[in-house]
Amino acid sequence: MYFAGVDVGSISAEVVIIDETGQVAGQAIGYTGANSVAASERTLEEALAKAGIKKEDIKRVVSTGYGRERVPYADDKVTEITCHGRGAVHLFPETRTVIDIGGQDSKAISIDENGRVQNFQMNDKCAAGTGRFLEVMARALEVDLVDMGNLGLASEKDVSVSSVCTVFAESEVVGLIHQGTDKKDIINGIHKAVADRTRALAGRVGIKPMVTMTGGVAKNPGVVKVLENKIGEKLHIPEEPQTVGALGAALIARDRHAAG
């Protein structure tokens, strides 16, 4: 038997298909674009192809994320807070804190020993400190987003990017470029700004080890290193951090099917 989780965010859509043992049979990541319904269907088809199964083989589907109400084939809808917690604990059973930095929001989630959400804080009013923030900064610096992490790690000078607003931070970065500041040092300053904002968010729920980081920004080694230094804890990064919410949704689908 197979079960699917669909996480439709503001920027990307993820689908994870698991079997009854919880093993991932297929997964896919796509762009949400202007049509979240089409994005969820397109990404499901890609995941089905990777799993080598048909849509009819899936017993239950749970949707989550910003666009969870727009997944027409979902049997249930569950908040992304619950799904990220469930997915993180499945991958790292000792997880007590989840830090998720997505495309346009960030979350800090406190989890008990049974994997239940105890508390959470979410930044969804501003793009500062999110994947979108990093995209805007990469564009201003004329560097590839995927290269930012390693460039920041190569920094040899401390540069501060003080603005938390994406628009003002972009102006600040442009000013630093015009002053001849090394791009590597600017990027490290950007990563520190993201880490400071994330640490403050996580501090409001209480940071308890083990700390698991999910979301696309977890693929940026520069942000990961700076954030580890800021919070004083090692961050456990899933092999594919972007699909943890969808994995959690799939696990919930399996559990609900088993419960009848």
Side-chain angles (χ1 to χ4, degrees):
M1 291 189 291
Y2 296 95
F3 308 91
V6 186
D7 184 359
V8 181
S10 55
I11 292 177
S12 64
E14 294 84 30
V15 173
V16 171
I17 299 170
I18 62 170
D19 62 21
E20 63 268 26
T21 70
Q23 291 295 311
V24 174
Q27 63 181 6
I29 301 171
Y31 287 105
T32 303
N35 190 331
S36 55
V37 173
S40 71
E41 292 175 339
R42 184 172 60 248
T43 311
L44 175 65
E45 289 300 323
E46 186 178 343
L48 287 168
K50 289 181 178 178
I53 62 174
K54 297 178 181 179
K55 191 174 182 179
E56 297 74 33
D57 296 324
I58 297 177
K59 298 297 182 183
R60 198 177 188 111
V61 178
V62 167
S63 64
T64 190
Y66 171 83
R68 62 183 177 274
E69 299 291 339
R70 301 275 293 159
V71 181
Y73 53 85
D75 299 296
D76 303 291
K77 301 168 182 63
V78 178
T79 71
E80 57 264 43
I81 302 297
T82 299
C83 290
H84 274 272
R86 182 74 175 84
V89 168
H90 178 77
L91 295 169
F92 300 107
E94 299 301 313
T95 298
R96 296 294 176 269
T97 307
V98 178
I99 293 173
D100 172 64
I101 308 181
Q104 291 195 148
D105 65 31
S106 53
K107 316 171 191 69
I109 309 166
S110 175
I111 297 172
D112 69 12
E113 62 275 10
N114 298 311
R116 291 190 295 258
V117 174
Q118 295 295 97
N119 191 12
F120 73 92
Q121 290 286 324
M122 186 170 181
N123 163 41
D124 60 354
K125 305 298 182 186
C126 172
T130 67
R132 179 64 79 190
F133 176 83
L134 292 172
E135 283 183 14
V136 172
M137 298 305 115
R139 189 163 58 245
L141 286 160
E142 297 183 344
V143 299
D144 197 309
L145 183 64
V146 298
D147 295 331
M148 282 187 75
N150 289 326
L151 286 169
L153 289 173
S155 171
E156 297 178 351
K157 182 180 178 183
D158 201 24
V159 170
S160 174
V161 177
S162 58
S163 300
V164 294
C165 170
T166 303
V167 175
F168 292 145
E170 184 178 15
S171 297
E172 192 174 349
V173 165
V174 170
L176 288 167
I177 293 170
H178 289 163
Q179 291 169 26
T181 308
D182 192 304
K183 287 185 179 181
K184 295 190 295 292
D185 299 328
I186 298 174
I187 291 169
N188 192 43
I190 291 166
H191 291 165
K192 287 181 179 179
V194 172
D196 282 337
R197 192 171 182 89
T198 306
R199 179 186 59 180
L201 188 72
R204 294 202 287 273
V205 303
I207 302 169
K208 299 176 183 178
M210 147 185 315
V211 183
T212 298
M213 185 174 179
T214 65
V217 176
K219 296 178 179 180
N220 181 315
V223 171
V224 170
K225 181 181 178 181
V226 174
L227 186 52
E228 286 180 332
N229 291 337
K230 295 282 185 182
I231 68 174
E233 294 287 346
K234 174 179 172 56
L235 295 175
H236 291 77
I237 313 295
E239 185 177 339
E240 180 41 85
Q242 226 172 317
T243 61
V244 175
L247 172 62
L251 291 164
I252 291 169
R254 181 196 64 176
D255 295 346
R256 290 188 176 182
H257 178 81

